[in-house]
Amino acid sequence: MTTQVIDKSLLDAAVKAMPDDRLAGLRREAADRFVSLGFPGTDHEDWKYTNLSDIEALSVAWLKGNPNLQPVSSVTDITDEVRSAIDAHWLLVRDGVADDMLPDIDGIEIERLVDADCSALSADDALSAFNVALLQDGLRIRVEPDAAPDRPLAILNIDSARQRVVQSRLVVELAAGARLELIECALSNGSGSQFTNSVVDVDLENAACLTHTRVQDRHPDHSGIYRLQASLARDANIRHSSFDFGGALSRNDVVTDIKGTGAAVGLNGLYLAGGEQHIDNHTSIIHGVGPATSDEEYRGILTGRAQCVFNGKVIVAEGADGTNSRQSNHNLLLSDRAEIDTKPELEIYADDVKCAHGATVGQLDHAALFYLQSRGLDRDQAKQILTRAFAAGMLSSLSVPACEDFVSARLDRRLAELVDDVDD
Amino acid sequence: MSKMLEIENLKARIAGNEILTGLNLVVSTGEVHAIMGPNGSGKSTLAQVIAGHADYDVTEGSVKFDGNDLLELEPEERAREGIFLGFQYPVEIPGVNNAYLLKAAVNAKRKHVGMDEIDAFEFLKLAREKMALLDMDQSFLNRGVNEGFSGGEKKRNEILQMAMLEPKLAILDETDSGLDIDALKAVANGVNALRHADRAIVLVTHYQRLLDYIEPDFVHVLSKGQIVRSGDKSLALELEEKGYEWVREVANA
Ligand SMILES: Nc1ncnc2c1ncn2[C@@H]1O[C@H](COP(=O)(O)OP(=O)(O)OP(=O)(O)O)[C@@H](O)[C@H]1O
Ligand SMILES: [Mg+2]
């Protein structure tokens, strides 16, 4: 198979075909940047284990087919099901295009990106540039100083199938002292190869506090790249919890940049992978100043031939004294054909620093399995209970009570499928 | 009285080492048996083999339960047939709620005999009743299974599970070890409450002390994987006085 790459003429043609709206100038700039960068290959250290060639081939095929950029995803039963499961102010984004029905909430300004006055959207890395180059729309959420909405804000990103590439963009800005509980659900509508490239920019001003939960439960043919980049001013706080249950290839990059003292970063992730699923979590916590804290824990459950990656980078800059950072990654390997590559990456240039990290890869505890069986539980049930207990550790980190039932229901459903796939 | 557990010439090995070397034992309904013996003689091995631990290979002999071949059953099937093993070292299972396990265990058994699942109210009532009998605080229901329990609390928790499941045959592997005097009495209460003409109890213990509270019908001495001596409760007293060396001498003579 010859490698298929997105060349200039192909991308330019697609960009030119898009409407002449407020994003047009940004698209052209980003297209040029993307062409000079190209999709990262596996020779790139950060992409060593995650091969994007299928995604690129899909993108090429889609671009060649004169993409129809109108949203084709219709509001379906899933939408209603999800919306009724979580008590929140809901926003709907279909195939990257935000619904016009935006909730009116005190202290929050919400606009579609096509309507917003966006002078810049970050497009530094290749995927972000690709995102902006083909961006149709997105959402911008700004919470006013000291405002705190009564209920969480939830975004349902639902993408249709059928050989499609979707760019999704979210800009979140919390002014000083503002608080927000934000939930993102990423789902598919129907089956078929598909690729969604999402970028989320978060800007937290002094003492702003964002609790962000992302649940990805896409169709098995739906691949996604997700990048969240957050900047934290003095005493700002972000707690990000990510749950990857579905999808084909999923790559998450979470970059948090601590720019003010007293800031706190909390990252939690749970990934469940079976079959041929590939889930790659790359996190990067930059302690630019100190004192500040970061606390990170990711857990994975792998069966079948799943492949997962965890790479946790912590950078403590020169002078960032009083940094306190903890990181851990624990994996349950339920099949000997599944594979996990886990790696902490600490770069410490300051003196007064506490950094702890640890990673484990293990199987289900045989003594515990036998114990449960000896109480009359059959082996599959015992496995499921123990696996659930391992995952529950991450569920308890969920700081948005509104989506607890939703997440745990999806978790149970996926676990039941995975445990069927377990070796003995 | 009928034969419940019949073990004949049982040989079992783990990791290539033969631990049980031809063991014979018959336990009938209504009986309480105590098994004593030096460290490493194979008492826990016997208990684990009866419960169906997969790490042990049975190389010879047979084990029948109510006349049926026990060795071909999965551990969970044995449990549902009415065998309960109180572990010498109960396993900690963080993240699994104690009440959840109790309920799942009760339901597994009910399902096996064609009963509906226990309803939440009935379950709680039963659990509270059994906990009162064992002088256990109800907060234990909401903790992870044995998670952070003290040694004695773990043993009480084993007895709680036993009390909830009402097994036909309870094998209690050193359930008395590490218990303070109140806990010992509580555990003995739990065990005595289970005593019934249709049930049987096998106590593995090192101490005469337990047998003051739960009076055995038979006492056996296990040594090097075999039962080398059996007698009534006076054998336990004799052992306490003379030590195992005495049994070995007698056995070798
Ligand atoms: N995995 C193993 N590999 C090798 N030997 C083992 C293994 N597990 C147990 N054994 C051995 O089997 C023997 C019997 O152990 P068992 O636990 O049955 O003794 P016990 O009579 O219960 O002793 P105690 O009174 O100390 O509880 C011991 O010598 C022990 O070391
Ligand atoms: Mg023992």
Side-chain angles (χ1 to χ4, degrees):
Chain A
M1 197 184 90
T2 56
T3 44
Q4 295 188 282
V5 292
I6 301 169
D7 60 29
K8 184 167 166 55
S9 59
L10 194 57
L11 189 59
D12 281 351
V15 171
K16 208 167 269 166
M18 294 180 70
D20 187 23
D21 55 23
R22 288 182 158 193
L23 296 168
L26 293 176
R27 277 191 212 109
R28 280 192 297 273
E29 263 173 52
D32 288 344
R33 175 149 182 83
F34 176 76
V35 169
S36 73
L37 292 168
F39 268 51
T42 49
D43 52 340
H44 191 301
E45 185 59 30
D46 287 344
W47 295 89
K48 197 164 141 190
Y49 300 106
T50 299
N51 189 331
L52 297 181
S53 54
D54 285 352
I55 285 179
E56 184 155 25
L58 174 69
S59 304
V60 169
W62 176 70
L63 286 167
K64 280 185 177 160
N66 295 321
N68 168 12
L69 288 169
Q70 292 311 304
V72 294
S73 200
S74 56
V75 181
T76 59
D77 295 346
I78 327 170
T79 339
D80 293 336
E81 181 205 314
V82 173
R83 283 198 285 200
S84 61
I86 302 174
D87 181 25
H89 297 288
W90 277 99
L91 298 165
L92 180 63
V93 178
R94 290 176 291 156
D95 298 315
V97 176
D99 205 273
D100 266 328
M101 299 263 288
L102 299 172
D104 191 7
I105 311 163
D106 254 9
I108 309 192
E109 194 188 315
I110 303 172
E111 325 169 79
R112 293 178 54 181
L113 281 184
V114 277
D115 299 328
D117 186 15
C118 265
S119 53
L121 282 171
S122 70
D124 296 338
D125 64 295
L127 274 309
S128 299
F130 189 54
N131 177 271
V132 178
L134 293 168
L135 196 64
Q136 277 184 278
D137 193 12
L139 283 167
R140 177 169 171 273
I141 297 165
R142 184 173 167 79
V143 187
E144 289 165 11
D146 297 316
D150 57 332
R151 279 188 295 165
L153 192 64
I155 303 171
L156 176 57
N157 289 290
I158 186 155
D159 300 331
S160 58
R162 284 179 273 171
Q163 308 290 318
R164 207 179 152 90
V165 173
V166 167
Q167 311 296 339
S168 152
R169 189 92 186 194
L170 173 64
V171 178
V172 181
E173 296 160 0
L174 268 62
R179 305 176 73 83
L180 179 68
E181 289 182 345
L182 182 65
I183 299 160
E184 279 191 274
C185 294
L187 303 175
S188 329
N189 182 18
S191 58
S193 293
Q194 193 183 0
F195 167 49
T196 301
N197 181 31
S198 315
V199 181
V200 180
D201 304 279
V202 174
D203 185 37
L204 303 179
E205 291 176 18
N206 290 351
C209 176
L210 175 69
T211 307
H212 179 243
T213 303
R214 178 170 187 262
V215 184
Q216 181 274 110
D217 198 2
R218 289 178 173 142
H219 195 274
D221 291 329
H222 190 164
S223 290
I225 295 182
Y226 179 87
R227 181 181 179 86
L228 181 144
Q229 40 205 17
S231 118
L232 289 85
R234 186 171 47 76
D235 296 325
N237 188 322
I238 184 169
R239 177 148 287 281
H240 167 75
S241 307
S242 110
F243 297 90
D244 278 284
F245 297 144
L249 179 155
S250 301
R251 161 73 178 236
N252 304 318
D253 279 278
V254 175
V255 181
T256 53
D257 194 354
I258 297 174
K259 293 178 167 162
T261 55
V265 169
L267 306 181
N268 286 110
L270 177 67
Y271 43 96
L272 269 58
E276 309 260 310
Q277 257 181 299
H278 178 101
I279 301 176
D280 176 349
N281 280 290
H282 265 66
T283 65
S284 173
I285 301 170
I286 304 160
H287 282 269
V289 296
T293 60
S294 63
D295 187 339
E296 174 174 26
E297 182 172 355
Y298 274 68
R299 287 193 188 184
I301 298 168
L302 288 75
T303 64
R305 293 174 181 278
Q307 283 196 315
C308 292
V309 181
F310 174 80
N311 186 289
K313 192 185 276 189
V314 177
I315 302 171
V316 183
E318 201 178 331
D321 290 326
T323 290
N324 196 338
S325 168
R326 279 198 324 193
Q327 179 194 90
S328 67
N329 172 232
H330 301 295
N331 297 281
L332 197 53
L333 228 54
L334 300 180
S335 144
D336 51 19
R337 292 163 305 158
E339 201 180 302
I340 169 80
D341 292 285
T342 173
K343 183 175 160 205
E345 242 185 284
L346 308 184
E347 291 176 29
I348 301 170
Y349 305 103
D351 302 323
D352 174 20
V353 169
K354 271 192 214 139
C355 278
H357 64 89
T360 58
V361 178
Q363 281 88 38
L364 284 177
D365 178 0
H366 280 252
L369 268 179
F370 176 63
Y371 188 76
L372 293 178
Q373 282 180 281
S374 79
R375 299 309 182 235
L377 279 59
D378 63 44
R379 204 168 164 84
D380 278 352
Q381 192 188 1
K383 282 178 183 166
Q384 196 169 335
I385 288 173
L386 293 180
T387 311
R388 178 75 165 71
F390 176 80
M394 285 292 88
L395 216 53
S396 62
S397 74
L398 199 67
S399 26
V400 183
C403 54
E404 212 176 289
D405 290 347
F406 174 76
V407 174
S408 80
R410 296 254 159 186
L411 169 67
D412 286 336
R413 194 161 81 187
R414 188 68 183 127
L415 274 183
E417 290 168 5
L418 290 185
V419 170
D420 274 348
D421 199 15
V422 165
D423 300 353
D424 246 293
Chain B
M1 239 193 303
S2 62
K3 287 180 181 174
M4 180 186 275
L5 182 72
E6 296 164 86
I7 304 177
E8 237 182 76
N9 189 33
L10 184 65
K11 297 188 180 175
R13 43 177 65 211
I14 185 162
N17 305 312
E18 186 157 273
I19 310 294
L20 300 183
T21 56
L23 186 142
N24 297 290
L25 178 69
V26 176
V27 177
S28 296
T29 50
E31 294 176 351
V32 175
H33 291 239
I35 296 179
M36 306 182 84
N39 294 132
S41 56
K43 302 180 298 298
S44 294
T45 302
L46 174 63
Q48 301 271 331
V49 167
I50 294 172
H53 198 298
D55 287 355
Y56 299 91
D57 287 326
V58 173
T59 53
E60 240 184 280
S62 66
V63 181
K64 283 187 180 161
F65 184 65
D66 284 342
N68 302 315
D69 183 4
L70 186 68
L71 297 175
E72 67 179 20
L73 299 184
E74 294 297 321
E76 60 269 34
E77 295 169 322
R78 302 181 193 199
R80 292 173 200 159
E81 288 293 334
I83 294 180
F84 178 89
L85 169 61
F87 283 59
Q88 182 174 4
Y89 304 108
V91 183
E92 295 202 21
I93 314 182
V96 177
N97 188 274
N98 215 15
Y100 180 88
L101 171 59
L102 279 175
K103 203 166 164 185
V106 168
N107 281 331
K109 193 162 178 193
R110 286 173 72 115
K111 191 174 165 197
H112 184 66
V113 296
M115 284 168 77
D116 283 343
E117 293 205 342
I118 191 165
D119 76 63
F121 179 77
E122 200 186 333
F123 169 76
L124 213 61
K125 191 174 150 242
L126 190 67
R128 286 193 177 136
E129 197 179 288
K130 303 296 185 190
M131 290 179 101
L133 175 74
L134 297 170
D135 198 17
M136 248 178 116
D137 194 277
Q138 278 179 35
S139 62
F140 283 103
L141 280 179
N142 299 319
R143 287 176 59 180
V145 175
N146 295 320
E147 187 182 1
F149 287 21
S150 75
E153 288 166 350
K154 284 180 184 164
K155 298 298 175 77
R156 261 191 235 225
N157 202 36
E158 294 291 286
I159 297 301
L160 172 63
Q161 294 174 4
M162 180 193 79
M164 294 288 289
L165 292 169
E166 300 187 326
K168 278 194 220 160
L169 173 66
I171 302 164
L172 303 178
D173 190 358
E174 296 200 28
T175 303
D176 56 330
S177 296
L179 294 186
D180 66 36
I181 193 71
D182 291 341
L184 186 71
K185 283 183 191 161
V187 163
N189 265 341
V191 176
N192 286 324
L194 195 76
R195 283 185 92 149
H196 187 278
D198 294 336
R199 300 201 183 108
I201 296 162
V202 175
L203 305 168
V204 173
T205 182
H206 285 291
Y207 306 105
Q208 161 61 32
R209 191 177 72 146
L210 175 71
L211 306 180
D212 289 339
Y213 296 99
I214 311 169
E215 207 172 290
D217 302 300
F218 299 94
V219 175
H220 310 276
V221 180
L222 211 161
S223 173
K224 296 187 181 132
Q226 296 181 9
I227 288 182
V228 294
R229 203 183 161 103
S230 298
D232 61 14
K233 61 183 177 184
S234 65
L235 178 58
L237 291 166
E238 211 168 341
L239 276 172
E240 189 118 291
E241 202 178 306
K242 299 183 178 166
Y244 290 122
E245 208 41 49
W246 160 72
V247 182
R248 283 196 197 105
E249 279 162 23
V250 176
N252 290 337

